[in-house]
Amino acid sequence: MEIAINALLTIVGLVMLCFGGNWLVSGGVSIAKKLRISQMVIGLTVVAYGTSTPELAASIAATVGAHTDLILGNIVGSNISNVGMVIGISAIISPLVVSKATTRKEVPIMIGVMLLLVAISVDGEISQYDGILLIAGLIAFTVYTLSRAKKERKQEEEDPAAQKSSVPRAVGLIAIGSGLLYFGGLVTIENVISIAQGIGISETVAGITIVAIGTSLPELITSIVAIKKGHTDIGIGTIVGSNIYNILMIMGVASVITGIAVVPGMFTDYLVMIGFAIVLIAFLRSGLIPRPAGIGLAIAYAVYLGYTLLS
């Protein structure tokens, strides 16, 4: 009976994620048009921040509850699922045409941030000093993104349709959408964890698999909604931005609160995370992620999940 209730509440959380993703994309597109900046930048900032709120909430809750193994597993697992599951499924639904500027700039930054996480983990702990370093990186990336947005605004002509758009309404949609993603993510995660505990798996494995999938649902829903509306750059920008924020912002905040131990087995997951990112940059060089590539990413992610759960 308890599992049935958890399953029902999980569905409620998913419905909240669906509505939240739809409104967040709508508000983000309106802001992009009004401010004359690209949808990619909106995806990297407003939408990526919004879809990362479940990971932030889960990590802070895990910190308070002294479940630090769950934090690192959640962040690494979420970054893997963002590429394997989210981009994989999105490309299966519709081939993704993306800006080559993403390959030149943001994706290499994402890989660099991942390598930074590996570097600070070598001593077996992500300390509070490491957390400060990550937050400094977050500030630098935010400044870079805002600088890019400022340049684009000078170059782009105003869209006539943007004159009719309402900034307060767009901001309201973003706020409500982010709120639904946040609470929908919490409801989904809490009940998925309850189901996982009944199965009997470790916190690290739960973070890498079940919790990571749960916290990646906002990115999945948001990306699918964006693609259906023809805003592919928002979908890709959301994934890239979310992966960067997961490490710089969420790991930064969590490790500043308390140092996080790194178990030796986590380095294998680090390699998988970086491997998925390298495969992604290979596809993005052509400006297209075709449906067969999406199928390959989804299968690779399913194999990784199976290996992690059975090992």
Side-chain angles (χ1 to χ4, degrees):
M1 183 64 181
E2 184 177 349
I3 293 180
I5 295 175
N6 291 141
L8 179 61
L9 290 174
T10 299
I11 294 174
V12 172
L14 290 173
V15 171
M16 294 173 69
L17 291 174
C18 288
F19 280 101
N22 183 53
W23 289 341
L24 186 62
V25 170
S26 297
V29 171
S30 296
I31 291 292
K33 290 180 178 179
K34 192 69 176 179
L35 299 180
R36 304 198 305 277
I37 58 179
S38 71
Q39 295 176 8
M40 175 61 71
V41 171
I42 289 295
L44 283 167
T45 53
V46 176
V47 181
Y49 264 116
T51 56
S52 289
T53 51
E55 283 94 339
L56 180 61
S59 295
I60 291 177
T63 301
V64 174
H67 302 295
T68 55
D69 287 347
L70 191 66
I71 299 172
L72 186 56
N74 178 28
I75 290 172
V76 174
S78 180
N79 280 10
I80 295 172
S81 65
N82 277 349
V83 177
M85 180 181 74
V86 179
I87 291 184
I89 293 176
S90 299
I92 291 172
I93 294 173
S94 177
L96 304 179
V97 180
V98 294
S99 169
K100 289 187 178 181
T102 307
T103 305
R104 280 199 318 270
K105 300 176 181 178
E106 281 71 31
V107 174
I109 290 175
M110 178 182 74
I111 294 176
V113 169
M114 291 177 177
L115 291 173
L116 173 61
L117 177 62
V118 175
I120 63 177
S121 300
V122 171
D123 61 355
E125 180 189 22
I126 301 176
S127 67
Q128 292 177 314
Y129 293 110
D130 293 329
I132 294 173
L133 175 63
L134 292 174
I135 292 176
L138 171 66
I139 295 172
F141 179 70
T142 301
V143 170
Y144 156 77
T145 308
L146 293 177
S147 175
R148 176 179 170 181
K150 185 177 180 180
K151 291 179 181 178
E152 289 185 356
R153 186 177 183 185
K154 291 179 180 179
Q155 295 171 357
E156 295 288 333
E157 295 182 1
E158 185 172 2
D159 186 345
Q163 297 177 355
K164 300 179 182 179
S165 63
S166 169
V167 172
R169 179 178 180 276
V171 172
L173 286 173
I174 291 173
I176 295 173
S178 297
L180 285 174
L181 287 173
Y182 176 81
F183 290 109
L186 286 182
V187 171
T188 303
I189 293 166
E190 181 179 345
N191 288 279
V192 167
I193 289 178
S194 296
I195 295 173
Q197 288 175 341
I199 301 174
I201 58 178
S202 70
E203 286 188 5
T204 301
V205 172
I208 291 174
T209 57
I210 298 174
V211 180
I213 292 174
T215 55
S216 290
L217 287 176
E219 285 88 347
L220 177 61
I221 299 299
T222 301
S223 295
I224 290 175
V225 169
I227 290 164
K228 287 292 186 182
K229 291 187 175 186
H231 307 305
T232 304
D233 276 353
I234 282 186
I236 298 296
T238 298
I239 299 307
V240 175
S242 179
N243 278 9
I244 292 172
Y245 293 135
N246 281 349
I247 295 174
L248 295 182
M249 179 176 68
I250 299 172
M251 180 54 71
V253 171
S255 56
V256 163
I257 295 174
T258 180
I260 297 173
V262 181
V263 297
M266 184 58 65
F267 286 92
T268 300
D269 299 294
Y270 282 165
L271 289 176
V272 173
M273 175 180 69
I274 294 171
F276 268 96
I278 292 173
V279 169
L280 176 62
I281 199 171
F283 286 125
L284 290 179
R285 286 182 66 85
S286 65
L288 175 70
I289 304 178
R291 187 170 282 111
I295 295 173
L297 286 171
I299 291 175
Y301 180 64
V303 171
Y304 165 74
L305 276 184
Y307 171 79
T308 303
L309 289 170
L310 295 176
S311 61

